[in-house]
Amino acid sequence: MDDAGVSLQAKMMAMGEAARAGARALRLASAEQRTAALQAMAKAIREDAARILAANARDIEQAKANGLSGPMLDRLLLDDARLEAMAQGVETVAAIADPLGVATSRWTRPNGLDISRVRTPIGVIAMIYESRPNVTADAAALCVRSGNAVILRGGSECLASSLAIHAAIVRGLKSAGLPASAVQAVGTSDRAAVGHILSGLNRTIDLIIPRGGKSLVARVQAEARAPVLGHLEGLNHVFVHAGADPQKAIDIAVNAKMRRVSVCGSAETLLVDRAIAERLLPLLADALIKAGCELRGDAAALAIEPTMKKAKDADWTTEYLAPILSVAVVDGVAGAAAHIARYGSGHTDAIVTEDPAAAEAFAAEVDSAIVLINASTQFADGGEFGFGAEIGIATDKLHARGPVGAEQLTTFKYVVRGTGQTRP
C-alpha cells in the first residue's frame, strides 16, 4: 500500500475511534442538550446559506461537466427553498419526542424482579450516500436525536455541498456543548474511504446504511463487515383497480410519477385492471403524456394505446428516475400482486380503488415496506410520516422497515431491578 493509502487508512481509523467517543457523549447527553444542538444546527444552516449554495454551485458545475443527467442534477441541486426546507427538517426532528430512555414494555415477575425494555442508541452509524446533499443534514439530525454518532460519506458529486453543510452542523453541535466527533464527514472523494468504512474501522462501526444506486447497495451488502440496513431501489407500482374512481386514478398516477421523478418514491410501473383497461387506460395515458411522461407498455396495453413504446423485459426492473413509466394490464388484485412480487423491490406500492375489500386484499397480499391505498407513492418519505426526516426507506425485514426516523435508529436493552433476589 502506498503512503497515501496508509495515510487514508490511519485517518479513517482515527475517525472510528473519535466516533466512539462522540457516541458516548451523545448517549450521556440529556434530551434537552440534544434538542438544543439540533436547533443550533438549523440556525447554523440558515446562517451559512450563502456558503452552502456557493459550494453547491461548484458541485452542479462539475456534475454538468461530467455529463450528469437532468434527474440526477435535480437530486443534487440546492436553492433557497430547499435549503430552508433542510433547516426546517432539522427543527422538526428537534421537536419530535425524544426516543431514548423510553420503556417500551415493563412487567414484574413472580419473584419480584421488575423488568423493563428501554430504548437505547445503536452506537456508531456510517452513512454512505450519493447525489443528495440534503442527506447530510437529515442523517446528522436523526442520529443526534437518537443519540448515535455518525460518519458521513457523501458521493463525490455532492462533496463540496456536503462538507459545507457539515461545517454548519459542527458549529451547532459545539454551541450546545457536544463534540464535533458526534457527526464526522469524510473529506475526500477517494473511493478507498468506502472500503475502509466497510471493513468496520476496527469494529468501531455498529451499523452501515447505504443510500444510493443498486451498485452501491450491492457493494455494501457484499463487502460490509458490520450490520447493514438495506435501502434498495424504488421499483414502485400504482395499481388502478376495477373499482377505482377515474379522476382519482388519473390524479394519483400523474402525481406518483411526475411530481418528482428523481426521488425513490416515484412510481416506475402503472398496473391497470383488465376489467377497466379499455375505458380508463386511454385517459391515464393521455394525462401522463400531457405531463411529459414517456410510456412503455406490454402487449395488452399497446393494443389499447398504440402510441406507447413496447416495453422490454428490462423495463419492469428498471428504476428510471426519469419521466418514463412502464404500463401493464393485469387481472385484478391477484394479478397486480403477482406482478409486484415478481418485479418489485419491496419498497412502495399503491392501489387506487373504491372497493374496501379489494383495498384490504391488496394490503394483505403485497409484501412491501409501504403499501398505500388511494394515495400517491410520493408519500414514501419520513417527513410525510411525521418523522421530521428520514435516513432512508429500509427494504429489509429485520430491525427497521420503511422510512427510518429517529426511533428506528434505536435498539433496546433490558433493565432489571431487584431487591436482593438470588436464583435458586
Side-chain angles (χ1 to χ4, degrees), residues 205-216:
I205 294 176
D206 296 294
L207 179 68
I208 300 173
I209 303 178
R211 183 169 178 177
K214 183 185 291 187
S215 61
L216 170 65

Side-chain angles (χ1 to χ4, degrees), residues 144-166:
V144 170
R145 177 79 287 169
S146 56
N148 296 292
V150 63
I151 296 174
L152 301 165
R153 202 288 184 180
S156 58
E157 66 278 7
C158 66
L159 183 60
S161 306
S162 296
L163 292 179
I165 295 166
H166 174 255

Side-chain angles (χ1 to χ4, degrees), residues 4 22 46 72 89 114 119 128 131 149 180 214 273 292 303 316 354 366 372 392 420:
R46 290 192 177 98
M72 298 305 290
D114 179 287
R119 287 202 198 106
I128 304 172
S131 302
K214 183 185 291 187
D273 198 325
W316 310 115
E354 300 303 306
V366 174
L372 300 114

